[in-house]
């Protein structure tokens, strides 16, 4: 992967600073370069004097980010462009390894990178989108015992699963495949031990075993485990981020859970995750 780029949305906010930190660490592991981008919105472009000031401010912030990357040994390029943040970053993602943004952008020259923009990035980016919280979420914390956590649909393998396996292998971390089932009775329980009302716990566990075996066949040295939880999908996945180095969500599927992943559930996870979150587009195949 040497020579490939990681695109980072930079706006001077604490969250974009955390996004830069994550991108630097990942670039060092992958021998990648960084492409640091900020976007001047049309609202600012309509005021020529303000636009000049914003371009100057944007360039200064980008140069500081560039200096930080290069001090860490990561080559970086910078660009401040006029347009819409989502469209610009999606265009830049076409040949990138990752597109990295913070959870909350700063107003002014860069606009807001959270809310509608981040959901648009995740839905349309040409590469995985990584969303980094503005608090300290430095990966590889010892207490994050689940390693790379991937939200899965039993019996289906999508690009998110393979992305999780690659990340776990690259960082020598365990891979935890986590499926959730909506519980109309309320509450969160583990399957198959406690969910005795479900007539198909064995079938679900068998499907997860098959998925695990399929991934293990490609990554034999990887430590892989799987969980099946019952309850509110959004709350369960946010809870899973407490012990995850990285939570990975997919955007495509054939059944109810996969349909939930892109929509209110994924938005809830993006906005409330206690870990870094990655969204990976791709169609699933059966394990």
């Amino acid at each position: 992967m040497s020579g490939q780029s990681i695109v980072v949305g930079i706006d001077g906010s604490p969250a974009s600073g955390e996004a830069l930190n994550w991108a630097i660490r990942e670039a060092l592991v992958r021998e990648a370069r960084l492409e640091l981008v900020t976007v001047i919105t049309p609202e600012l472009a309509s005021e020529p004097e303000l636009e000049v000031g914003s371009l100057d401010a944007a360039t200064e912030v980008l140069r500081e980010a560039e200096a930080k990357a290069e001090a860490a040994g990561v080559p970086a390029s910078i660009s401040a462009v006029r347009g819409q943040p989502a469209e610009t970053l999606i265009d830049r993602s076409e040949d990138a390894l990752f597109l990295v943004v913070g959870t909350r952008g700063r107003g002014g020259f860069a606009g807001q990178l959270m809310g509608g923009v981040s959901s648009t990035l995740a839905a349309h980016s040409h590469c995985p989108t990584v969303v980094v919280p503005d608090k300290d979420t430095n990966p590889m914390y010892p207490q994050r015992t689940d390693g790379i956590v991937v939200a899965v649909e039993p019996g289906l393998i999508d690009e998110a699963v393979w992305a999780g396996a690659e990340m776990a292998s690259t960082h020598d971390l365990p891979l935890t495949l986590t499926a959730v089932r909506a519980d109309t009775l309320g509450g969160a329980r583990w399957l198959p031990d406690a969910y005795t009302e479900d007539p198909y716990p064995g079938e679900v566990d068998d499907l997860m075993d098959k998925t695990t075996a399929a991934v293990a066949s490609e990554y034999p040295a990887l430590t892989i485990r799987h969980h099946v939880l019952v309850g509110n999908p959004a709350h369960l996945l946010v809870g899973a981020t407490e012990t995850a180095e990285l939570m990975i969500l997919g955007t495509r599927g054939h059944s109810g859970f996969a349909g939930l992943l892109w929509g209110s559930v994924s938005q809830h996870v993006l906005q409330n995750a206690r870990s870094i979150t990655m969204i990976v587009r791709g169609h699933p195949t059966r394990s």
Side-chain angles (χ1 to χ4, degrees), residues 116-147:
V117 171
S118 67
S119 63
T120 301
L121 293 179
H124 300 288
S125 173
H126 300 287
C127 66
T129 299
V130 179
V131 180
V132 183
D134 57 0
K135 58 187 176 181
D136 186 7
T137 54
N138 185 21
M140 320 313 167
Y141 277 2
Q143 65 267 31
R144 294 189 180 274
T145 54
D146 285 336

Side-chain angles (χ1 to χ4, degrees), residues 169-204:
S169 178
T170 297
H171 292 283
D172 193 24
L173 290 167
L175 175 67
T176 302
L177 305 177
T178 299
V180 296
R181 294 168 64 100
D183 182 6
T184 57
L185 301 177
R189 294 170 288 180
W190 289 94
L191 276 178
D193 297 331
Y195 194 42
T196 55
E197 297 92 340
D198 190 337
Y200 306 112
E203 178 181 324
V204 171

Side-chain angles (χ1 to χ4, degrees), residues 29-235:
V29 171
R30 299 175 182 276
E31 298 182 355
R33 57 187 175 82
L34 299 186
E35 184 179 350
L36 310 176
V37 182
T38 202
V39 183
I40 311 300
T41 62
E43 291 78 9
L44 293 173
S46 65
E47 299 290 338
E49 292 184 1
L50 184 58
E51 181 189 4
V52 171
S54 296
L55 282 170
D56 289 343
T59 301
E60 181 178 352
V61 168
L62 286 170
R63 285 176 176 163
E64 290 176 359
E66 179 186 32
K68 185 173 184 178
E70 294 186 343
V74 177
S77 62
I78 63 173
S79 59
V81 299
R82 300 179 182 88
Q84 293 291 345
E87 293 175 3
T88 300
L89 293 174
I90 288 168
D91 287 343
R92 298 299 179 93
S93 74
E94 190 163 359
D95 298 314
L97 278 172
F98 304 108
L99 172 58
V100 188
V101 296
T103 54
R104 292 177 179 83
R106 175 172 289 171
F109 67 82
Q112 296 293 321
L113 284 180
M114 193 51 196
V117 171
S118 67
S119 63
T120 301
L121 293 179
H124 300 288
S125 173
H126 300 287
C127 66
T129 299
V130 179
V131 180
V132 183
D134 57 0
K135 58 187 176 181
D136 186 7
T137 54
N138 185 21
M140 320 313 167
Y141 277 2
Q143 65 267 31
R144 294 189 180 274
T145 54
D146 285 336
I148 307 300
V149 177
V150 184
V152 301
E153 184 175 3
L156 297 178
I157 300 180
D158 62 6
E159 292 300 322
V161 173
W162 296 120
E166 191 277 335
M167 287 292 292
S169 178
T170 297
H171 292 283
D172 193 24
L173 290 167
L175 175 67
T176 302
L177 305 177
T178 299
V180 296
R181 294 168 64 100
D183 182 6
T184 57
L185 301 177
R189 294 170 288 180
W190 289 94
L191 276 178
D193 297 331
Y195 194 42
T196 55
E197 297 92 340
D198 190 337
Y200 306 112
E203 178 181 324
V204 171
D205 209 45
D206 287 345
L207 290 172
M208 294 297 288
D209 284 338
K210 289 179 180 178
T211 299
T212 300
V215 177
S217 68
E218 297 294 328
Y219 292 87
L222 201 59
T223 298
I224 308 172
R225 49 193 177 229
H226 65 257
H227 296 157
V228 182
L229 294 171
V230 179
N232 180 294
H235 294 165

